[in-house]
Amino acid sequence: NSKVIQTPRYLVKGQGQKAKMRCIPEKGHPVVFWYQQNKNNEFKFLINFQNQEVLQQIDMTEKRFSAECPSNSPCSLEIQSSEAGDSALYLCASSYRGPYEQYFGPGTRLTVL
Amino acid sequence: GEKVEQHESTLSVREGDSAVINCTYTDTASSYFPWYKQEAGKSLHFVIDIRSNVDRKQSQRLIVLLDKKAKRFSLHITATQPEDSAIYFCAANMGYKLTFGTGTSLLVDP
């Protein structure tokens, strides 16, 4: 069973507002991933970290999305100016090494009104 | 971009029968293929995976087959039970990240 913790579970924002969500990876897992799952069950990879360093990220993330995984603090994903199309389930996963056995948290369900 | 296609969007089987879900991928560099289960309102639960150095892996009632030449992999659930009912997602790695299929909704009729 996954021990990835995500908060908050639900987030409701108006268009243009900031939305911030947090993730605590499983203990001992240095690799952290953020994915977006939309209502059509389409997944979009957003960004991943190894310890505090960004490994991969998509172009969209560089514009309105920002993320960090500081030492000794939860990882976070922030949308600077929310849009209706950002409404989705945001999933954080962690792994011990590389892409292998990524364990997912419960997700943060973002609704942008 | 690279894709993972999941061929069955829905699958209905009788309890005790086997269920097979098929996926194909496009990135020849993919080497890791996990499967996840998602129940209604819940997150993804890792069920089984296979790496490209083998073509078959079994864990209890779950069997994963990998055909690298055809870029195809499949999940076989034997002796299905009602609690197997869920959405199953296949995925393939591209570097560290995973690319997912769009899910197969499996219904096991008791």
Side-chain angles (χ1 to χ4, degrees), chain A residues 33 35 37 99 101-102 105, chain B residues 32 36 38 43 96-98:
Chain A
F33 305 80
Y35 295 91
Q37 182 184 14
E101 291 190 43
Q102 294 182 28
Chain B
Y32 176 65
Y36 289 88
Q38 189 174 38
S43 187
Y96 272 42
K97 68 182 184 181
L98 295 177

Side-chain angles (χ1 to χ4, degrees), chain B residues 42-109:
Chain B
K42 296 190 178 179
S43 187
L44 296 178
H45 174 73
F46 173 85
V47 290
I48 192 170
D49 59 8
I50 191 166
R51 302 191 189 191
S52 58
N53 59 341
V54 296
D55 55 18
R56 185 182 190 277
K57 181 175 179 178
Q58 181 166 1
S59 173
Q60 299 180 319
R61 297 187 295 110
L62 302 176
I63 301 169
V64 181
L65 302 177
L66 173 63
D67 181 343
K68 292 188 291 290
K69 198 169 181 181
K71 288 194 260 184
R72 182 172 57 217
F73 59 114
S74 58
L75 174 67
H76 300 244
I77 307 173
T78 62
T80 53
Q81 301 168 358
E83 51 266 37
D84 294 329
S85 296
I87 301 176
Y88 289 81
F89 293 94
C90 62
N93 78 301
M94 283 157 203
Y96 272 42
K97 68 182 184 181
L98 295 177
T99 296
F100 288 86
T102 49
T104 296
S105 180
L106 173 65
L107 178 64
V108 179
D109 293 319

